[in-house]
Amino acid sequence: MNPYQKIPLIAERDTHTGEVFYLTESHAILRYLHARYNCAESWYPSEIKARTKVDMYMDWHHTFLRQGAAGTVFRMAFARVVTGKTHSKEEIKFHLTYLRRSLTMMERWLTETQFLCGDKPTLADISAVCEIEQLHYLADYMDKHIPEKYPKVHLWH
């Protein structure tokens, strides 16, 4: 169903026409669900500056936090099982660097506000928590580094 053969994917059948609507890409799905199901304004504000801040985070997310968190977790916890491939220390270090940079940025943002884009959770927080949650596969990293070096991220999570 997904032309890229990846997840996430949602499929919704129109109750009037019977047509199925397919949607890929996590942030497009979040925005769609917010609009489709008339979710609370605070999740994806209509005020232009507040919305742009959420959009800015979500664009940043794939380049930094996703690269760091998913890249590190996949290479350290799953690659050998899924692909049979092991990754070099240099490659893992590259993704860990992205992860640390990302967590440092998040720590800075969470010093200013309770959530990533303000005082209420938004789609940005949903997106980010999915990345942070997968770090539990690297229990040593979570237990040793997150609470100590990134206390605001730890409390937010």
Side-chain angles (χ1 to χ4, degrees):
M1 288 188 250
N2 183 330
Y4 309 111
Q5 300 180 348
K6 303 255 182 201
I7 55 174
L9 165 82
I10 63 168
E12 267 197 335
R13 184 173 304 280
D14 186 303
T15 56
H16 301 294
T17 67
E19 289 182 36
V20 178
F21 173 65
Y22 297 101
L23 185 60
T24 63
E25 300 303 326
S26 57
H27 294 158
I29 291 169
L30 286 172
R31 290 178 184 113
Y32 171 79
L33 292 173
H34 179 269
R36 172 81 169 85
Y37 293 101
N38 234 0
C39 296
E41 162 87 7
S42 59
W43 288 104
Y44 194 49
S46 60
E47 192 279 315
I48 192 67
K49 289 181 182 174
R51 178 171 284 210
T52 300
K53 194 170 183 178
V54 174
D55 287 336
M56 184 175 65
Y57 169 81
M58 291 169 68
D59 290 345
W60 172 88
H61 172 96
H62 281 298
T63 305
F64 287 90
L65 185 59
R66 167 74 47 86
Q67 178 89 319
T72 301
V73 169
F74 180 76
R75 282 160 182 79
M76 291 178 72
F78 297 111
R80 184 176 293 146
V81 174
V82 174
T83 67
K85 181 181 177 185
T86 57
H87 294 272
S88 69
K89 289 181 181 181
E90 292 80 24
E91 196 172 355
I92 292 170
K93 184 179 176 184
F94 172 84
H95 290 282
L96 273 171
T97 298
Y98 265 91
L99 177 58
R100 288 184 192 111
R101 284 181 179 170
S102 300
L103 292 171
T104 298
M105 290 292 295
M106 290 176 69
E107 188 72 15
R108 189 174 319 140
W109 294 331
L110 293 168
T111 298
E112 298 168 7
T113 57
Q114 184 177 358
F115 296 95
L116 291 172
C117 296
D119 293 325
K120 292 183 178 180
T122 66
L123 299 182
D125 294 279
I126 292 172
S127 186
V129 80
C130 292
E131 300 300 333
I132 300 299
E133 191 62 29
Q134 68 183 303
L135 295 176
H136 287 288
Y137 288 107
L138 307 175
D140 287 343
Y141 191 85
M142 280 297 288
D143 296 342
K144 292 177 186 171
H145 298 286
I146 302 291
E148 177 186 317
K149 293 183 179 179
Y150 311 102
K152 300 276 189 210
V153 172
H154 180 69
L155 288 173
W156 164 85
H157 173 254

